[in-house]
Amino acid sequence: MTRKTINVAFTSDEWRGVALSNFSLSPFELDGVSLASVEGFIQGIKFPPGHPARERAFVSSAWEAKACGQGADKRFAYWGGAQIEFGSDAHHRLVERALRARFAQNEGLRRVLASTRGLDILHQTGEAPEPERTSLPAALFCRILSDIRDAAQEPGDLAERIVAQTTDALIYADRDGRIVRWNPAASRLFGFSPEEALGASLDLIIPEHLRAAHWAGYHAALASGRMKLQGHPTLTRGLKKDGGKCYVEMTFAMVRNNAGEPIGSVAMARDVTERVEKERAARGRGEG
């Protein structure tokens, strides 16, 4: 089956391709410098600071910007006080920064790019073959746009992906200490499925002899809005589904609503049982 594509170029027959092209007028800022288009940036940095063609290019787009680059010797690109070899990886990374800044500062463009999901991005201008040394190879341009598009998932979806794929156990509990978020790593660590954990009390994973101290600190933190251990890892014991106990290193953070009011606590946990037992064994041998 033939895959669907979109040609991101000023000569594209698709309006989205034209809008997303580097030729288009699309103001953005990089390192405090205002720029009219990525094409203008690409052409302007071919000239050292103070050169009139550089300044004209920075405020131009489309063919006008491209014309500004005529006459450049294409040995170096100039930016941030540095002289960068033309066509080098460093040069390409600089242009990529400009491209990413353009999208980061333009919500409309991000939406247009998001609308191309499911399409392979191509860059075909219809001009002569690409030169061996160029400011932005077509393959790199397409890869950057694809990366920006793939990373720009809806915030909720991206958050879910992060929670699901992080290797540390993540547990979020509300003000009452009921588990609201429980990622796959938490299931692997403690043995409880999401169906068993969600809605349950944090007592599910707290050994009985530690519960009184835990709840005193938990409720005090939510009442005051301050957490003594915020951001600082602490070693504690955890309780597994099979009744076994483990040592876990946990990091806590307060979660607040838009008004700044505490609404719960999130913990990141990792199993350090093996490390703790080895350290204890080593101390025992030393004392013996």
Side-chain angles (χ1 to χ4, degrees):
M1 185 176 70
T2 303
R3 291 181 62 87
K4 294 183 178 181
T5 62
I6 182 168
N7 182 24
V8 176
F10 200 65
T11 53
S12 176
D13 58 4
E14 233 262 40
W15 72 268
R16 294 179 297 177
V18 176
L20 295 170
S21 77
N22 290 331
F23 254 42
S24 298
L25 176 64
S26 182
F28 67 99
E29 185 176 288
L30 184 67
D31 298 339
V33 178
S34 295
L35 301 153
S37 67
V38 174
E39 183 65 30
F41 174 76
I42 287 172
Q43 299 301 332
I45 60 175
K46 294 176 180 178
F47 301 94
H51 195 289
R54 178 185 178 94
E55 304 309 320
R56 286 199 308 274
F58 283 174
V59 296
S60 303
S61 62
W63 299 110
E64 181 184 352
K66 193 172 185 67
C68 290
Q70 294 178 356
D73 60 20
K74 294 187 179 181
R75 289 188 302 157
F76 300 105
Y78 304 88
W79 188 255
Q83 180 176 280
I84 305 163
E85 182 184 353
F86 187 90
S88 65
D89 288 343
H91 183 198
H92 294 160
R93 286 194 297 271
L94 174 59
V95 176
E96 178 174 352
R97 281 186 59 218
L99 188 56
R100 289 183 177 276
R102 177 198 182 206
F103 279 91
Q105 296 168 33
N106 192 314
E107 182 180 354
L109 275 182
R110 294 196 300 273
R111 291 180 179 273
V112 173
L113 183 59
S115 74
T116 69
R117 287 190 186 120
L119 304 178
D120 286 342
I121 295 175
L122 305 178
H123 180 61
Q124 299 173 341
T125 63
E127 298 179 356
E130 183 175 275
E132 184 177 345
R133 290 197 315 150
T134 181
S135 299
L136 183 62
L140 177 59
F141 177 47
C142 295
R143 191 268 296 167
I144 294 168
L145 288 185
S146 297
D147 286 351
I148 295 172
R149 180 180 65 185
D150 293 344
Q153 302 289 332
E154 290 298 323
D157 182 47
L158 179 59
E160 288 302 315
R161 288 171 184 265
I162 293 170
V163 169
Q165 295 176 28
T166 184
T167 55
D168 285 346
L170 183 146
I171 304 112
Y172 167 66
D174 62 16
R175 290 188 64 91
D176 296 325
R178 298 285 172 183
I179 298 171
V180 178
R181 298 296 290 111
W182 180 267
N183 73 346
S187 292
R188 292 192 294 270
L189 174 55
F190 295 105
F192 296 99
S193 68
E195 292 75 19
E196 294 170 313
L198 294 174
S201 167
L202 285 171
D203 283 344
L204 188 73
I205 57 173
I206 302 173
E208 187 172 357
H209 70 283
L210 297 177
R211 290 174 186 169
H214 163 80
W215 289 116
Y218 190 86
H219 293 309
L222 285 167
S224 67
R226 296 188 300 275
M227 217 175 239
K228 291 181 180 178
L229 296 174
Q230 174 103 4
H232 298 287
T234 184
L235 181 66
T236 187
R237 299 295 298 269
L239 181 63
K240 295 190 173 186
K241 181 179 179 178
D242 62 8
K245 295 183 176 64
C246 58
Y247 287 96
V248 290
E249 189 172 73
M250 304 191 82
T251 304
F252 301 93
M254 189 78 69
V255 178
R256 303 174 186 274
N257 61 18
N258 290 339
E261 302 163 336
I263 58 173
S265 171
V266 64
M268 299 289 289
R270 61 179 57 182
D271 190 344
V272 293
T273 303
E274 184 177 356
R275 186 194 79 193
V276 172
E277 290 179 345
K278 285 182 178 179
E279 290 173 350
R280 287 191 168 184
R283 286 198 299 270
R285 289 193 295 271
E287 293 171 358

